[in-house]
Amino acid sequence: MASTSFELDLSNMISNFLSELSRFIFVSWTSWPWWWDGLTKNSTSRVTPTLVAAALLAILLYAWLIKKTFTSSVPPLPPGPPGLPLLGNLPFLEHDLHRYFAKLSEIYGPILKLQLGRKVCVVISSPSLAKQVLKDHDAFFSNRDPTVAAIASTYGGDIAWSPNGPEWRKLRKILIQEMMSRTSLDASHTFRRQEVQKMVKEVYAKAGTPINIGEQMFLTILNVIMRMTWGGSLNEEDTIRVGIQFRQVVDEFVYLWGAPNISDLFPALARFDLQGVESKTKKLLSWFDRMFESLIESRTKDHQAGGENKEEEKGSNKDFLENLLDDKTSLSLNQVKALLLDTFLGGTHTTSTTIEWLMAELLQHPEIMRKACKELQEVVGKDNIVEEFHISKLHYLDAILKETLRLHPALPLLVPRSPCTTQTISEYTIPKGSRVLFNVWAMQRDPEAWDNPLEFQPERFMRNAGKGEYKGNNYNFLPFGSGRRICPGISLAEKMILYVVSTLLHSFEWNIPHGTTLDLSEEFGLVTKMQEPLIAIPIAK
Ligand code: HEM
């Protein structure tokens, strides 16, 4: 690969040389007359301009030949639609990028290039190319391409946006060990149980009235993650006040991370922050920061005031924050905050949005809902409540989740990657630092890979369970990404979603309000949610 980047540099040098040379000829030509007259006074001098011109032409031809030789050995950039000078394809982007990219890939193929201001953006939409990038060349493509907003919200280095390196590896390992490993998840199961039972009470109190499912699920997942993170959750009053504010802040954060920003596309203008994206992000971060500071402070005080006895009492039931503050992890204060932020921003919106889509599909397909309830009755029993240990036996519900993630991946373009050196994929050059997107939304609806791809048919995963594994080895199905940067929260997300949904279905009957219709349109974003919030009425069973 080093040679590819050398050839690109060389070809740039030759280009520069050629343009300098032509400028020189042009300047010489335009300033010709005043010395031409002088020279033509004797015959020897009359030959000189002809010789100079011939020599220049020969150099020009030679340089052109060299350029041709080198540039033809460097693979071209991927094909893509023509753009305007300076702005490139920016003016032509459509709002629903995943659909727009799918349309373009029908014209330009499964790897295409867009020029967005100064940024080269490559979109991949075939499983075989996704495999090449995310498996065969994963080491080179495991950097992110963080936007200005993302950089402003990482406390100097988090998991989601840091480049592949020792600090990123360390943070990721700590998150997985202290929160996502089987031991940690088993240890925190009481927290989830209490929060899910609290949710049942809340929904019970609203039985017979319309509920905003996305909002209710966000609050439930938020409470679950809060409990797992620092042992506390919101009481009923705060759930409404703080919880809803929390949702707005997370919504806005996720929006700003993915929002088109002039500062990202024209880095020279970044310091002006023309759209105010950076300052808005910093303001949002300060909202989180105040909360994190007070939690960390009170936890440190607890430690100082006889924490050791308390630790013994808690045994293995320590929360995530406690583990992060443990001296063994040797994390800086900013790294602790960055991990907390990753957990909240990575875990809440994605999970609650997936539950909302899943419930919408069940309401759209009553026969599938009935089948799921029947399975629950058989596995859990009519008079028992769902427990986490039931989940591994709920195969049909598991297939429903997979089918939901296939049709409605929370992150339809994953999180952008960026090669650390210039790479060649499928005979095309992907320059160092370009933004690489994977249109998993399109791949998961590809008729070549899926029968009746637009239909919601969980049975497809019952027939072929391997098709729906989440580890990123089946490149037709990548809702959690793949390779080194695959989502580290899969095990928790799977547990929370299945536990919450099975409880909702086992405890309540669900209907949409009389006289309304379901609208399953999407609102595109880094996290793609339902355009119209799902409203449904629970009836206690
Ligand atoms: C349905 C739920 C979820 C979905 C669909 C989802 C999806 C994803 C995807 C597609 C990526 C990018 C992967 C790639 O680049 O290959 C990602 C990254 C990430 N996710 Fe999740 N996620 C979910 C839940 C969670 C949860 C519960 C957490 C933590 C509590 C979490 C934390 C993260 C983090 C920290 C990253 C960045 C990883 C890195 O860059 O190394 N996610 N997620």
Side-chain angles (χ1 to χ4, degrees):
M1 274 319 104
S3 73
T4 314
S5 100
F6 166 74
E7 283 165 11
L8 276 176
D9 288 343
L10 194 65
S11 119
N12 281 343
M13 274 168 56
I14 292 171
S15 276
N16 290 344
F17 170 66
L18 280 179
S19 65
E20 279 304 307
L21 193 62
S22 31
R23 203 169 59 84
F24 169 68
I25 291 172
F26 176 71
V27 170
S28 310
W29 192 262
T30 47
S31 47
W32 195 279
W34 68 266
W35 58 273
W36 173 255
D37 290 345
L39 283 172
T40 45
K41 280 188 184 128
N42 70 60
S43 61
T44 328
S45 315
R46 222 175 295 143
V47 187
T48 314
T50 322
L51 277 177
V52 171
L56 284 176
L57 263 175
I59 294 171
L60 200 64
L61 189 68
Y62 182 65
W64 178 77
L65 278 173
I66 293 180
K67 180 184 174 183
K68 199 164 179 291
T69 316
F70 276 110
T71 47
S72 58
S73 69
V74 178
L77 291 168
L84 298 178
L86 199 67
L87 296 174
N89 305 97
L90 263 181
F92 311 110
L93 291 184
E94 291 175 12
H95 178 262
D96 289 338
L97 280 185
H98 56 319
R99 287 179 190 273
Y100 176 60
F101 291 158
K103 269 194 292 185
L104 287 184
S105 73
E106 277 173 23
I107 305 168
Y108 297 99
I111 175 165
L112 61 93
K113 183 216 90 179
L114 293 159
Q115 185 72 43
L116 307 179
R118 302 276 300 144
K119 180 74 65 194
V120 172
C121 176
V122 174
V123 185
I124 291 195
S125 19
S126 86
S128 65
L129 289 178
K131 178 167 176 281
Q132 271 190 49
V133 175
L134 295 170
K135 186 169 184 215
D136 307 341
H137 292 70
D138 186 32
F140 300 103
F141 280 92
S142 50
N143 277 355
R144 295 285 185 212
D145 179 31
T147 54
V148 166
I151 294 169
S153 54
T154 57
Y155 285 104
D158 71 339
I159 301 180
W161 300 104
S162 292
N164 177 2
E167 284 306 302
W168 164 74
R169 267 194 297 279
K170 175 179 159 185
L171 293 181
R172 211 181 137 99
K173 197 169 156 205
I174 289 175
L175 177 73
I176 291 174
Q177 247 168 25
E178 306 299 346
M179 200 173 190
M180 309 297 169
S181 66
R182 181 184 273 259
T183 325
S184 317
L185 283 176
D186 285 350
S188 57
H189 111 270
T190 335
F191 295 147
R192 290 189 294 280
R193 190 172 191 269
Q194 288 166 357
E195 288 309 317
V196 169
Q197 285 180 2
K198 203 165 111 189
M199 170 198 80
V200 173
K201 274 193 202 141
E202 280 166 23
V203 176
Y204 201 80
K206 297 177 195 162
T209 61
I211 290 184
N212 181 329
I213 300 285
E215 197 173 277
Q216 178 69 48
M217 289 308 107
F218 184 88
L219 299 176
T220 302
I221 297 298
L222 175 67
N223 273 338
V224 170
I225 292 188
M226 274 189 174
R227 270 311 279 282
M228 291 176 65
T229 309
W230 58 72
S233 65
L234 302 170
N235 59 35
E236 212 173 311
E237 206 178 293
D238 285 348
T239 298
I240 307 299
R241 194 175 49 81
V242 184
I244 289 180
Q245 199 181 357
F246 211 109
R247 188 173 187 222
Q248 279 165 358
V249 175
V250 173
D251 251 354
E252 212 167 324
F253 240 121
V254 174
Y255 168 74
L256 290 173
W257 277 354
N261 182 4
I262 293 171
S263 303
D264 293 317
L265 308 174
F266 299 96
L269 300 176
R271 68 196 138 121
F272 302 114
D273 189 23
L274 291 171
Q275 290 157 269
V277 171
E278 191 176 357
S279 64
K280 276 185 219 156
T281 312
K282 286 183 174 159
K283 218 163 132 195
L284 291 179
L285 188 68
S286 68
W287 188 88
F288 272 106
D289 205 49
R290 282 196 296 277
M291 178 169 68
F292 293 158
E293 287 273 348
S294 83
L295 279 167
I296 293 170
E297 196 186 327
S298 79
R299 196 52 70 88
T300 318
K301 274 188 195 149
D302 268 6
H303 260 282
Q304 285 157 357
E308 273 174 27
N309 293 342
K310 276 191 188 164
E311 261 180 43
E312 263 172 38
E313 269 170 42
K314 283 184 181 170
S316 61
N317 229 6
K318 285 189 348 185
D319 58 50
F320 184 47
L321 179 60
E322 210 142 341
N323 289 326
L324 293 185
L325 291 173
D326 195 312
D327 297 338
K328 277 183 283 182
T329 57
S330 67
L331 291 174
S332 69
L333 190 60
N334 271 348
Q335 285 178 318
V336 170
K337 290 181 188 172
L339 275 174
L340 293 178
L341 197 66
D342 271 343
T343 311
F344 280 100
L345 295 185
T348 48
H349 218 45
T350 45
T351 311
S352 58
T353 301
T354 304
I355 299 179
E356 191 179 8
W357 279 115
L358 188 155
M359 290 298 287
E361 288 289 3
L362 290 187
L363 284 160
Q364 180 89 318
H365 300 92
E367 71 296 351
I368 297 178
M369 169 111 78
R370 266 194 297 279
K371 234 172 129 179
C373 293
K374 188 164 168 272
E375 181 183 57
L376 275 162
Q377 276 211 12
E378 284 162 13
V379 172
V380 180
K382 194 168 173 287
D383 299 321
N384 297 327
I385 58 167
V386 183
E387 300 286 356
E388 260 189 17
F389 63 77
H390 290 123
I391 287 173
S392 60
K393 298 177 197 144
L394 298 170
H395 303 297
Y396 192 61
L397 195 65
D398 183 49
I400 291 176
L401 172 58
K402 288 179 163 52
E403 185 67 341
T404 304
L405 286 165
R406 182 184 73 80
L407 280 176
H408 311 288
L411 286 90
L413 302 174
L414 300 185
V415 181
R417 303 283 186 102
S418 185
C420 56
T421 57
T422 296
Q423 294 291 306
T424 304
I425 295 290
S426 177
E427 298 171 3
Y428 294 114
T429 293
I430 304 194
K432 174 183 173 181
S434 49
R435 177 174 298 180
V436 182
L437 301 170
F438 301 85
N439 196 349
V440 297
W441 177 87
M443 290 186 241
Q444 295 181 172
R445 290 169 177 234
D446 183 351
E448 284 188 19
W450 305 93
D451 295 334
N452 303 318
L454 301 186
E455 284 176 25
F456 189 80
Q457 293 179 347
E459 285 73 13
R460 70 176 89 236
F461 289 108
M462 299 290 277
R463 288 190 295 272
N464 188 347
K467 267 198 126 180
E469 60 98 17
Y470 296 134
K471 292 195 185 114
N473 298 320
N474 170 11
Y475 295 87
N476 291 314
F477 184 67
L478 298 173
F480 294 99
S482 178
R484 284 172 172 74
R485 303 275 332 203
I486 192 171
C487 173
I490 301 175
S491 44
L492 175 61
E494 197 182 359
K495 242 185 214 313
M496 288 194 296
I497 297 171
L498 291 173
Y499 187 28
V500 168
V501 169
S502 54
T503 303
L504 288 178
L505 295 180
H506 197 53
S507 310
F508 304 96
E509 220 180 271
W510 293 90
N511 293 297
I512 56 166
H514 194 65
T516 61
T517 46
L518 270 173
D519 180 357
L520 269 70
S521 317
E522 301 152 333
E523 168 80 42
F524 175 79
L526 185 65
V527 175
T528 292
K529 47 187 188 173
M530 293 184 71
Q531 203 172 66
E532 291 302 321
L534 176 64
I535 308 290
I537 300 177
I539 311 283
K541 275 188 179 168

